[in-house]
Amino acid sequence: MTTTAEQECRCGWDDITQLDTMIFESSLGAQFGAAEEFVEVTLDVQENNTVVLRSVEPATVINMDDSVSGGSGTPAWTPASILRSTSVKRSSSHRFRQFSQELKAEARAKAKNFSHELKAELRRFSWSRSHASQAFAASSLTVNTNSDVGAENGMDSALAARDLRRQRAKLDRTRSGAEKALYGLRFISGNNKTRGIHTCSELESNFNKLAKDGFLSRVDFAQCIGMKDSKEFALELFDALSRRRRLQNSDRISRDELFEFWLQITDQSFDSRLQIFFNMVDKNEDGRVTEQEVKEIIMLSASANKLSRLKEQAEEYAALIMEELDPERLGYIELWQLETLLLQKDTYMNYSRALSFNSQALSQNLQGIRRRSPIKKFSTKVVYFLRENWKRIWVLTLWIMIMVGLFTWKFLQYRHKNAFRIMGYCLTTAKGAAETLKFNMALILLPVCRNTITWLRKTRIGYYVPFDDNINFHKTIAVAIIVGIILHAGNHLACDFPRLLNSSEADYAYVIDDFGKNKPSYMDLVKGVEGVTGIIMVIFIAIAFTLATRWFRRNLIKLPHPFDRLTGYNAFWYSHHLFILVYILLIIHGLFLYLVHKWYLMTTWMYVAVPVLLYAGERILRFFRSGSYSVQIQKVAIYPGNVLKLQMFKPPQFHYKSGQYMFVQCPAVSPFEWHPFSITSAPGDDYLSIHVRQLGDWTQELKRVFSEVCEPSLSGKSGLLRADETTLKSLPRLSIDGPYGAPAQDYHKYDVLLLVGLGIGATPFISILKDLLNNTVKIEEQDSSTGITSVGNLSYVNKNSQAPKRKNCLKTTNAYFYWVTREQGSFDWFKGVMNEISELDQRGVIEMHNYLTSVYEEGDARSTLITMVQALNHAKNGVDIVSGTRVRTHFARPNWKKVLSKISSKHCGARIGVFYCGAPVLAKELGQLCHEINRNGLAKLDFHKEHF
């Protein structure tokens, strides 16, 4: 028995003779039989757990000894036939023998009937086709006086050829490949990208809200059925259903008519959905669709999916569909031809098939199904958590233990002081919190010493310390500082001072050496050096902490003018520089203490001295280095989606790795502000490049400055603005600082890479892809010069050449790049890079997937025709109509669970690095999926993330 999956046997017109011979021979074998008879059954296992019977053929087992010996009267069997016969004989167990005997009679009968019925039919098709083509050629090439007769003969030949294709289309629909296509062309999708309606109760509720005088207007139909984002498409659907219903007043419908429309729209029958879609195109109801009508439905689909460029080229794509479906050039297509286009979807899209599962995927699923005791489940989770987070755990544990130790030491120290008799545990708590504050105020500077961290990444310390979490650790310390301030300042102002003021003369005698002979008032305590510096520090820290929160830093809070300046990146950047004053006040505050009078016991300056000097040294280094790294702009391009590309000359001393970032300053915008951007050029390039998306006031001003010197591109069709060193106007100069380390720079440590970029988050991975491409090209050049022939991941050495050992061989064998964006114009950002990778990556190391979320998911009626045009154009021209590159664009969002499962099952046992850059929402989902696969699978997925 032979089982095939995802393989469609298609017999073209050129194979009719061969198919006819095959059927004739199978019928002869069925008639004459053999000594021992078996049946070969071919099944097709579908994804929806159904099994389709592809073919049932009689198979004859021969005597292997005679066939191999090649005696007289024995045919010369090929190795393939010997292997086939051996496999059939080997599988002839008792159960299979019984099964074959049951099917033998039916199979032979079906084979006979099938051969007799189709033999004459296919021969007639073949004869008709040959004569029809000859007649068509003769009519087109022969010019005679009887032109009317020639035209009539040509039309008859064209109609005969179309009739043959119609018959073949009927046969194609019975094939197993049609099963998948029959699930498409949905008008109402369960996974709609907008909130649609899916029940009759919702439909009735919408009707009651929108109806006037018991009737629903045509303009409200889209909102009523949940297609308000595709209003034009919904109106055409309304008109098609109205023509089908023969409504006299097509501007409004009643409740019953709406429910009738709804039943037709939600009908699960593919034929019904196909007829409705055809009626939308065939507005004159003549049963024929012209090229102009195809163009209109393409424009309608492009409008529904926000594909403005597709609308501009609708005429070209309509001609492409007519060329495919109307080879006879009759000028129209019919319903069955549109159906044929949908059923051939898999054939057109073979070039972009997803990764294939192997047996490991099944073992993964089975391992997850096995029942385990609750204790074992809990222990497995604990072990996995410790293994994945041991770096963070030991760092946080050490930090917490130091804070607990400092707090306890100071708490016990003041527990034995005289002031404790008056102030009690309020004093000990305040002093314990103060000791942790001094430690954290010193420690919080270390995670932002970027040059130091970049250098430490290269050392062995990088294996034990999670430097990728430096900003998260910085934020965690900031929270601890806020808690310490509340305990320290709160206990002093609300507890210590009131208890001191309310103490008796006898109790005050214990602290008379600290506060003087006269008991101070509350204001005396507050307006002293200790009080004033402490209160000012609390205010500055509160301002900086508030403006650094996500709500203010990302403009999520909208304030009225002029308070809107308190939000955004600039407010965060400037408020953080208040910490210069905070550290000055902190040292002064530590030198004027109420209860400490000896200088060597005033330890605040001891805590912060080294971190402050280190941070100050980094800022000084940054200042002088930015002067030497004042770069000149080489090229500028402004892309759709408000993205600015800056390409600059690379300084000779500027060395970086792919995945790193640098800070950029533009004196024409602001002489003080520095902003980080990922480097999108590869280390091997002779230039530096960054892509800047307009998100804040600084980036808006940067775009405006460069827009003034840009000019439209020469082609005039791309809609881009460009500038280079030949531009008459002078280009603004930039200062750069870096490079600085990032999680993505460690990509070379992994066997397999999964790079996921969300929108502008693709920037750090473009440099990685270009670097991988440059390295693979170098290896191919080494192979060609040393006589090494590469096939896939295997290499064969030519014996006649002396091939030295490769140096610096790539550890990464495969890289998968998934780019998800919501705007079609975004693909222009890296169009050149994607085309270059597609052309030069002969080894197939890099696999790219583009996803456009503005387009409805595959199978939706609003995107079906776009999918077909996309597949046809790519098959003919090798270019994707959406991205304009060689990389096919998928629609809607990826199924990340399937993506990760396929990659992990394909590369079983490999170390896979999953790198993500984008919004935090998807990072959480990817992290959880990596956790599940690591716990159940055989592959090891290391997840790294970056946020903008």
Side-chain angles (χ1 to χ4, degrees):
M1 177 179 290
T2 303
T3 303
T4 60
E6 298 184 359
Q7 183 176 1
E8 185 179 11
C9 294
R10 303 186 58 84
C11 51
W13 291 110
D14 296 334
D15 300 330
I16 291 178
T17 305
Q18 181 181 0
L19 178 61
D20 185 30
T21 305
M22 180 187 70
I23 297 172
F24 180 73
E25 290 176 355
S26 65
S27 63
L28 288 178
Q31 288 178 1
F32 296 107
E36 188 175 7
E37 296 180 346
F38 294 89
V39 216
E40 182 176 354
V41 182
T42 304
L43 303 176
D44 189 74
V45 182
Q46 301 294 321
E47 294 180 353
N48 58 352
N49 297 326
T50 61
V51 179
V52 179
L53 182 64
R54 295 284 301 276
S55 64
V56 181
E57 298 179 358
T60 304
V61 178
I62 64 172
N63 191 328
M64 293 303 301
D65 296 334
D66 295 339
S67 64
V68 174
S69 63
S72 60
T74 304
W77 294 90
T78 63
S81 62
I82 294 174
L83 179 61
R84 178 181 176 186
S85 300
T86 305
S87 63
V88 174
K89 187 170 184 178
R90 186 178 300 156
S91 62
S92 59
S93 61
H94 176 71
R95 294 180 61 188
F96 181 79
R97 186 184 299 272
Q98 182 180 359
F99 175 76
S100 64
Q101 292 296 332
E102 293 175 357
L103 289 180
K104 184 172 58 178
E106 182 180 358
R108 292 179 61 183
K110 285 186 176 181
K112 276 185 181 181
N113 295 334
F114 187 77
S115 62
H116 286 304
E117 291 174 1
L118 286 186
K119 191 189 304 180
E121 188 72 17
L122 291 175
R123 283 176 176 171
R124 185 177 65 84
F125 285 173
S126 179
W127 180 87
S128 301
R129 177 179 180 271
S130 61
H131 284 268
S133 61
Q134 292 174 4
F136 183 79
S139 64
S140 60
L141 296 176
T142 304
V143 179
N144 49 35
T145 56
N146 194 359
S147 59
D148 294 338
V149 176
E152 184 177 355
N153 292 336
M155 180 62 68
D156 291 341
S157 300
L159 292 174
R162 176 166 290 194
D163 185 63
L164 296 178
R165 291 199 302 114
R166 185 200 301 267
Q167 297 298 326
R168 181 189 172 192
K170 291 181 179 179
L171 295 176
D172 284 343
R173 185 167 186 178
T174 63
R175 296 178 182 274
S176 59
E179 288 291 325
K180 297 179 183 178
L182 297 180
Y183 288 105
L185 208 62
R186 298 182 302 271
F187 293 95
I188 301 296
S189 175
N191 296 321
N192 223 354
K193 69 187 179 81
T194 57
R195 293 188 60 186
I197 64 170
H198 307 288
T199 62
C200 292
S201 59
E202 293 179 86
L203 182 69
E204 185 173 8
S205 175
N206 289 345
F207 178 84
N208 295 332
K209 294 178 182 178
L210 300 173
K212 296 179 181 179
D213 300 330
F215 289 91
L216 178 70
S217 174
R218 175 177 178 270
V219 295
D220 296 328
F221 180 71
Q223 184 176 357
C224 185
I225 66 173
M227 281 191 182
K228 60 181 180 181
D229 287 344
S230 309
K231 188 173 182 180
E232 295 180 9
F233 190 92
L235 293 179
E236 291 293 337
L237 179 61
F238 179 91
D239 294 340
L241 295 173
S242 298
R243 291 193 298 267
R244 192 177 186 182
R245 183 74 168 72
R246 303 296 180 184
L247 295 180
Q248 296 180 354
N249 186 359
S250 59
D251 291 333
R252 60 177 189 170
I253 54 175
S254 64
R255 178 180 177 277
D256 294 337
E257 291 169 338
L258 173 65
F259 275 91
E260 184 179 346
F261 283 10
W262 177 256
L263 292 177
Q264 296 180 42
I265 293 173
T266 57
D267 192 343
Q268 297 301 313
S269 169
F270 174 76
D271 293 314
S272 175
R273 297 195 297 262
L274 179 65
Q275 185 65 56
I276 295 174
F277 188 78
F278 187 83
N279 292 341
M280 290 178 61
V281 188
D282 182 24
K283 296 183 180 180
N284 57 3
E285 300 182 89
D286 61 351
R288 299 176 177 182
V289 174
T290 62
E291 184 174 337
Q292 180 62 29
E293 291 174 322
V294 174
K295 175 185 173 182
E296 292 178 3
I297 197 65
I298 290 178
M299 295 183 65
L300 188 65
S301 300
S303 176
N305 293 278
K306 300 179 177 61
L307 299 176
S308 57
R309 296 183 184 178
L310 192 63
K311 295 175 65 176
E312 299 172 0
Q313 298 176 286
E315 185 175 354
E316 174 186 347
Y317 298 140
L320 182 64
I321 289 182
M322 296 300 293
E323 179 182 350
E324 176 69 18
L325 299 183
D326 184 27
E328 302 85 10
R329 298 185 180 181
L330 295 177
Y332 63 89
I333 61 175
E334 297 173 293
L335 178 65
W336 66 269
Q337 292 167 291
L338 183 63
E339 178 185 8
T340 301
L341 181 66
L342 298 176
L343 297 184
Q344 291 178 344
K345 177 182 64 175
D346 289 342
T347 303
Y348 291 124
M349 302 177 70
N350 276 337
Y351 64 89
S352 59
R353 285 193 179 276
L355 300 175
S356 60
F357 278 99
N358 57 23
S359 59
Q360 296 299 331
L362 180 60
S363 64
Q364 269 191 355
N365 295 332
L366 291 178
Q367 189 173 358
I369 295 174
R370 292 170 187 160
R371 295 182 178 180
R372 292 178 293 177
S373 63
I375 298 177
K376 192 170 183 180
K377 286 182 180 179
F378 178 76
S379 62
T380 303
K381 289 182 179 180
V382 171
V383 171
Y384 173 79
F385 179 80
L386 294 176
R387 186 173 66 247
E388 291 293 310
N389 300 279
W390 67 270
K391 294 181 183 180
R392 301 182 182 93
I393 291 173
W394 85 262
V395 171
L396 291 176
T397 302
L398 179 63
W399 173 61
I400 293 173
M401 289 177 62
I402 292 175
M403 287 195 300
V404 171
L406 291 173
F407 185 92
T408 304
W409 170 60
K410 216 61 178 178
F411 186 94
L412 296 177
Q413 184 182 17
Y414 275 83
R415 174 68 176 77
H416 299 90
K417 285 186 174 293
N418 292 331
F420 179 76
R421 297 174 179 269
I422 299 177
M423 302 178 184
Y425 288 103
C426 296
L427 175 65
T428 55
T429 303
K431 289 301 180 179
E435 204 67 17
T436 63
L437 272 174
K438 291 185 283 187
F439 170 69
N440 286 326
M441 288 296 291
L443 187 63
I444 198 171
L445 294 175
L446 298 181
V448 292
C449 292
R450 297 185 179 91
N451 291 287
T452 304
I453 290 178
T454 302
W455 172 72
L456 289 175
R457 282 177 180 270
K458 305 175 184 178
T459 64
R460 291 190 176 183
I461 301 178
Y463 178 76
Y464 301 98
V465 179
F467 289 115
D468 293 344
D469 293 332
N470 60 323
I471 299 301
N472 291 330
F473 190 44
H474 177 80
K475 295 177 182 178
T476 304
I477 298 172
V479 174
I481 289 175
I482 297 299
V483 174
I485 289 175
I486 294 174
L487 292 177
H488 178 71
N491 276 284
H492 274 324
L493 296 175
C495 186
D496 289 347
F497 292 172
R499 295 188 67 170
L500 177 65
L501 299 177
N502 296 328
S503 62
S504 61
E505 294 294 334
D507 291 336
Y508 183 75
Y510 289 105
V511 294
I512 195 172
D513 294 334
D514 300 316
F515 294 96
K517 295 182 179 180
N518 298 323
K519 184 187 299 184
S521 63
Y522 192 88
M523 288 303 300
D524 292 335
L525 295 173
V526 172
K527 69 182 182 181
V529 177
E530 304 93 324
V532 172
T533 55
I535 292 175
I536 295 176
M537 278 194 298
V538 169
I539 295 173
F540 284 173
I541 292 175
I543 293 173
F545 183 85
T546 302
L547 298 182
T549 56
R550 181 174 176 268
W551 300 282
F552 284 87
R553 183 164 48 90
R554 294 193 174 272
N555 281 321
L556 299 181
I557 295 180
K558 303 299 181 181
L559 299 177
H561 186 76
F563 299 103
D564 55 346
R565 294 182 176 271
L566 296 177
T567 61
Y569 184 85
N570 283 346
F572 155 75
W573 191 83
Y574 284 111
S575 64
H576 251 57
H577 284 75
L578 292 174
F579 276 96
I580 298 175
L581 300 177
V582 169
Y583 278 97
I584 296 174
L585 294 173
L586 179 63
I587 295 175
I588 297 174
H589 183 82
L591 296 176
F592 293 87
L593 300 178
Y594 291 113
L595 303 177
V596 179
H597 306 288
K598 297 179 180 179
W599 69 270
Y600 57 85
L601 296 178
M602 301 176 182
T603 57
T604 302
W605 64 274
M606 299 180 187
Y607 277 97
V608 300
V610 174
V612 167
L613 290 176
L614 179 62
Y615 183 76
E618 287 221 358
R619 295 301 295 262
I620 294 172
L621 174 64
R622 182 172 173 176
F623 174 78
F624 286 105
R625 188 169 58 184
S626 63
S628 60
Y629 285 171
S630 181
V631 294
Q632 184 178 359
I633 299 298
Q634 187 178 9
K635 292 181 181 179
V636 179
I638 300 179
Y639 295 107
N642 293 322
V643 170
L644 172 69
K645 177 187 177 182
L646 299 176
Q647 183 173 314
M648 58 204 82
F649 293 99
K650 182 169 66 173
Q653 300 83 13
F654 193 89
H655 303 288
Y656 64 96
K657 296 180 180 179
S658 294
Q660 292 184 332
Y661 67 97
M662 65 182 183
F663 278 83
V664 177
Q665 180 205 44
C666 182
V669 178
S670 173
F672 304 108
E673 295 184 38
W674 292 81
H675 293 261
F677 298 99
S678 298
I679 303 173
T680 54
S681 55
D685 296 335
D686 58 355
Y687 61 88
L688 277 174
S689 66
I690 59 173
H691 287 68
V692 182
R693 186 168 190 181
Q694 182 179 329
L695 293 175
D697 48 6
W698 187 87
T699 53
Q700 291 175 0
E701 185 65 16
L702 184 71
K703 180 188 175 184
R704 186 194 65 79
V705 169
F706 281 98
S707 297
E708 295 176 354
V709 299
C710 288
E711 298 177 356
S713 58
L714 297 178
S715 63
K717 295 182 179 180
S718 62
L720 307 182
L721 297 177
R722 299 183 181 276
D724 53 28
E725 64 274 8
T726 61
T727 306
L728 297 178
K729 298 181 181 180
S730 59
L731 297 174
R733 298 183 68 87
L734 295 179
S735 296
I736 62 175
D737 176 50
Y740 293 108
Q745 76 177 58
D746 296 328
Y747 72 94
H748 60 275
K749 298 179 181 179
Y750 296 95
D751 305 317
V752 179
L753 298 178
L754 173 59
L755 311 175
V756 180
L758 208 61
I760 197 64
T763 50
F765 306 133
I766 295 300
S767 178
I768 294 176
L769 295 177
K770 293 175 69 175
D771 192 36
L772 286 174
L773 179 63
N774 293 339
N775 289 332
T776 53
V777 171
K778 289 180 181 178
I779 291 177
E780 289 172 4
E781 292 175 353
Q782 292 177 6
D783 291 346
S784 60
S785 61
T786 56
I788 300 177
T789 303
S790 297
V791 180
N793 292 327
L794 301 178
S795 298
Y796 304 93
V797 182
N798 187 353
K799 295 181 180 180
N800 297 326
S801 62
Q802 295 180 354
K805 293 183 178 180
R806 270 188 204 162
K807 295 182 180 179
N808 300 326
C809 185
L810 274 177
K811 179 181 177 62
T812 303
T813 57
N814 292 91
Y816 302 92
F817 176 52
Y818 282 78
W819 185 17
V820 184
T821 182
R822 68 178 108 183
E823 299 175 359
Q824 183 185 7
S826 303
F827 296 119
D828 288 340
W829 304 346
F830 310 115
K831 180 184 295 185
V833 176
M834 289 187 284
N835 285 331
E836 185 180 6
I837 293 174
S838 300
E839 293 175 2
L840 299 180
D841 184 23
Q842 301 298 326
R843 292 172 172 267
V845 174
I846 302 172
E847 184 176 305
M848 295 177 291
H849 298 268
N850 295 333
Y851 281 83
L852 186 62
T853 58
S854 66
V855 181
Y856 289 89
E857 63 183 351
E858 184 177 344
D860 194 289
R862 285 162 285 190
S863 62
T864 296
L865 199 60
I866 295 177
T867 305
M868 296 298 100
V869 173
Q870 180 193 43
L872 286 172
N873 190 75
H874 197 284
K876 180 179 179 182
N877 304 317
V879 178
D880 180 69
I881 64 172
V882 178
S883 65
T885 67
R886 297 179 181 273
V887 182
R888 184 204 163 203
T889 301
H890 306 273
F891 300 149
R893 291 176 174 83
N895 187 328
W896 294 113
K897 186 173 184 179
K898 288 185 178 180
V899 170
L900 291 172
S901 298
K902 290 179 180 180
I903 294 178
S904 59
S905 60
K906 183 177 181 181
H907 302 283
C908 179
R911 190 181 178 199
I912 303 174
V914 181
F915 295 89
Y916 169 75
C917 187
V921 179
L922 183 55
K924 183 178 180 181
E925 179 184 352
L926 290 176
Q928 292 177 348
L929 290 174
C930 290
H931 170 83
E932 294 176 3
I933 292 176
N934 286 341
R935 193 175 58 190
N936 300 329
L938 299 178
K940 178 67 171 67
L941 276 67
D942 292 340
F943 180 65
H944 308 270
K945 61 182 178 181
E946 293 182 61
H947 296 156
F948 287 127

